[in-house]
Amino acid sequence: MPTELTALVRSAQQGDEYAFRMLYRELQPGLLRYLAVLVGPEAEDVASETWLQIARDLGTFAGGPGFRAWATRVARNRALDHLRHQRRRPTVPVPVEALSELAGAEDTAASADEGLGTDTAVALIATLPRTEAEAVLLRTVIGLDAESTARVLGKRPGAVRTAAHRGLRRLARILAQNGRDAVEPVSGGPTVGRSADARAADVRAGEDVEAAQGWR
Amino acid sequence: MALRKMSMGFRRRGRPDPEAAERLLDAVAAGGTEARQAHGGVQDPLANLLAVAAAPARPGELDGEDAAVAAFRAARDARSRADPAPTPRTTEARGALAGASARPPAGRGRLTAGAFGWVAVVVATLTAGVALAAEIPALRPAGPPRSTPSVDVGPTSVPTTAPTTTAPTTTGPTGPSTGPGSKPPTTGPGRTHPPQSLVAQCHAFLTKGRPDSGHPPTPLVRAAGGRAEVEEYCRRLLAIDPKPGRDDPNGPRDKDAPVEPPGRSPGGNGSG
């Protein structure tokens, strides 16, 4: 797959429209879900901006196997810009009944087929602290390895691994708890999610700006 | 199944198990959905959650595809306007330009009056621009080092393009049908023009016992790009011209010589 992606990138850089279309289909679902965690309902808009920039800057990508990470970084930077303007990160609503469905494993295959499961799963991951959520998503939904994930997040690989593991443990706990006693929203109210203020604090942390500047 | 085991192993321990976590993450990234479906849907909740999150594209997620492609098209066209290089849009064209990378192939102004440039000119006069673009990168690495900036595609523009008048002997069979809009090289003026004599001059020049002791004719020096270049230029010219090569009196010794340019590199190794 990586070599196939590399070949597509090379063709697209030479002007091949079909190759670019294939790149979109390969990357867009993961990017959109990742963006949903970062910017909530604005994800589609930010994804559009992301692809505009990818189309424009494709020629500056040096080639090689790092295109997935490069595109993810573009998406992340667009999302962070978006959040800086908004000054907050919206909470991703998690349908409570869907969450309990997810914990009961038998039904999830069917719900995934209907498209419900994916949104719910992503929304549940979005309840993690942001670094953990990003680490888990980049490793699984986007499909980056630990090193690429670290580059995208501007952190050390060890820190990214720790964040991902912590996120997995937290998710496992939530699922186990929900399996026992229906769903008890983490932050109260009808939706599960960290408060907008907490998210905004994450974004305001200098790490993102620093990371964005380190990327070429 | 493997996914489930990993997740269970990860979860069972009270202490974190980084290895199990890494395996789980890798497995999901490598296609956890398939693993989950193969397992019949009964899964550990954590592995299931991750697999569902990484499920294949759903229809609504690709709604922006046409807009993205339109943006790509616009950016590409803007680039090609700013930098007028042939834009390959088909697989065949891509294959032909593979050696030229994404950068524009050598422009027409970079054709040289040397032997290999001369071949390119012949090709250019007989075929369309795409063929020209495809041929030049392949020819350039072995081309004469000195670039005479005078050559256009048209065979009658500058004296140094004179070799094109030998085109009839090389390309006669296909020439008439594929000629571009410009004047085909088979027409009269070229016949009497120096180019034919360039070959003859080279011939004469090389057949003297010691080529470098003679005085090469001025057109030859100009075509070669310098007096010191004349010998190599002539050897290349004759080596690729079957007609004079046939009765080349220099024998095998000189036939081998042109193949190895003495350590000169055009510098751009063909990528332009």
Side-chain angles (χ1 to χ4, degrees), chain A residues 118-190:
Chain A
T118 297
D119 287 339
T120 306
V122 170
L124 185 58
I125 294 171
T127 65
L128 300 174
R130 197 176 64 125
T131 299
E132 294 176 17
E134 286 192 274
V136 169
L137 279 167
L138 294 185
R139 293 296 313 279
T140 56
V141 174
I142 304 277
L144 300 179
D145 60 23
E147 285 70 26
S148 299
T149 300
R151 279 209 314 278
V152 170
L153 297 180
K155 297 181 183 303
R156 280 198 282 273
V160 165
R161 286 195 185 91
T162 300
H165 301 170
R166 205 171 279 159
L168 290 185
R169 284 202 306 278
R170 210 186 295 267
L171 286 173
R173 274 202 304 274
I174 293 172
L175 289 170
Q177 185 181 1
N178 288 333
R180 278 198 304 274
D181 46 41
V183 173
E184 191 173 317
V186 176
S187 59

Side-chain angles (χ1 to χ4, degrees), chain A residues 6 9-10 13 57-67 70 216:
Chain A
T6 301
V9 170
R10 195 163 47 236
Q13 284 180 320
D57 294 349
L58 189 60
T60 69
F61 175 65
F67 183 74
W70 182 80
R216 204 182 71 76

Side-chain angles (χ1 to χ4, degrees), chain A residues 11-12 14-17 20-21 24-25 28-29 33 52 102 105 108-109 115 117-119 121 139-140 165 168-169 175, chain B residues 10 16 18 21-22 26 29 36 41 43 48-49 52-53 55-58 61 64-66 68-69 71-73 76 88 94:
Chain A
S11 295
Q14 293 173 352
D16 189 327
E17 190 175 306
F20 184 81
R21 198 176 279 274
Y24 178 90
R25 291 182 189 174
Q28 163 71 359
R33 294 169 201 174
L52 277 178
L102 192 62
T108 48
T118 297
D119 287 339
R139 293 296 313 279
T140 56
H165 301 170
L168 290 185
R169 284 202 306 278
L175 289 170
Chain B
F10 170 73
E22 285 299 309
D26 289 342
R36 176 181 63 79
Q43 277 276 347
N48 193 45
L49 169 81
V52 170
R58 293 166 297 153
E61 289 179 323
E65 179 174 320
D66 287 340
V69 171
F72 170 78
R73 204 180 296 135
R76 180 191 64 193
R94 267 207 314 284

